[in-house]
Amino acid sequence: MRIAYLTSRITEPFYLATLAGIILLFSSYLNGYHRLFWGGILLLVLGILPLATLFLGLKTGKVEDIDFTDRRKRTPFILIILFYWLIGAILAWALSGPAIILDILIIALIIGSAVLVINLYWKISNHTLGVTTFAFFVNQFFGWQYWWLIILIHIVAWSRWVKKKHTIGQLIAGVCLGALAWGLFLWL
């Protein structure tokens, strides 16, 4: 049980989003752009602000548990995150930023909106969504050199199932939505 708990904590979706943003700094997608500025914008809206909001919510008691076990309590948090991503997308568009930054934020808005709607009726695994998106995007950035990251999807799904946080269907739905995010990226 302890390993499942640690796996869930280490693979928090916004930790992975922050890590993916850092990894993007070292890819060729930002060639010709100010890496630190655009990487900073992406890190801020995709990972740092959501994590700060989550931790502030936990500290003030507005968020009762880090896993949002009660799906109904996710909605305000999701709306705040969507706001951050919208601001980031507007900045990237208005300042003629790298297409990759705008694409990632548009995809985040689309997938985040889907999570918001799904969340009104059902609980989807944001952990499997996050780790799937992370594994696919990192591999896309670097030509599938890190294909073994796909194994993390299974490990995270196992940890969430063992902790009784999700059903198999919720875990699979998260993986499918993560794969859809990657598909949208390929399409854009």
Side-chain angles (χ1 to χ4, degrees):
M1 277 298 230
R2 185 82 177 137
I3 292 172
Y5 174 79
L6 289 173
T7 300
S8 288
R9 295 297 64 91
I10 291 169
T11 58
E12 288 292 335
F14 297 111
Y15 288 159
L16 294 178
T18 303
L19 182 57
I22 292 168
I23 290 169
L24 179 62
L25 288 172
F26 299 100
S27 78
S28 62
Y29 284 97
L30 294 180
N31 287 351
Y33 291 94
H34 191 281
R35 284 181 188 279
L36 290 180
F37 177 77
W38 288 108
I41 294 289
L42 186 64
L43 288 173
L44 184 68
V45 299
L46 204 58
I48 295 169
L49 285 173
L51 281 170
T53 302
L54 176 61
F55 291 131
L56 183 64
L58 287 166
K59 186 173 175 70
T60 61
K62 301 245 187 242
V63 174
E64 292 175 8
D65 70 303
I66 197 165
D67 289 315
F68 288 95
T69 304
D70 181 353
R71 68 167 172 76
R72 294 168 297 194
K73 295 187 178 180
R74 289 179 170 188
T75 302
F77 181 71
I78 295 169
L79 288 169
I80 292 168
I81 301 315
L82 288 171
F83 174 74
Y84 295 150
W85 294 345
L86 179 62
I87 295 299
I90 290 169
L91 273 173
W93 173 78
L95 299 176
S96 300
I100 185 82
I101 302 290
L102 187 56
D103 290 350
I104 288 171
L105 290 170
I106 288 170
I107 292 165
L109 283 164
I110 293 167
I111 297 299
S113 297
V115 168
L116 178 66
V117 171
I118 291 166
N119 187 67
L120 296 174
Y121 305 98
W122 195 56
K123 186 176 176 186
I124 190 168
S125 173
N126 287 319
H127 277 79
T128 57
L129 165 61
V131 73
T132 301
T133 304
F134 174 79
F136 283 15
F137 273 70
V138 167
N139 275 293
Q140 187 66 39
F141 298 157
F142 295 103
W144 289 89
Q145 295 177 54
Y146 303 102
W147 58 267
W148 50 267
L149 287 173
I150 303 298
I151 296 166
L152 289 177
I153 298 168
H154 304 283
I155 294 169
V156 170
W158 166 83
S159 74
R160 304 302 289 163
W161 185 72
V162 165
K163 295 291 295 171
K164 297 184 183 349
K165 297 296 181 183
H166 294 288
T167 65
I168 297 295
Q170 293 166 341
L171 295 167
I172 292 170
V175 171
C176 290
L177 206 50
L180 176 63
W182 179 63
L184 286 171
F185 179 76
L186 294 177
W187 182 67
L188 290 175

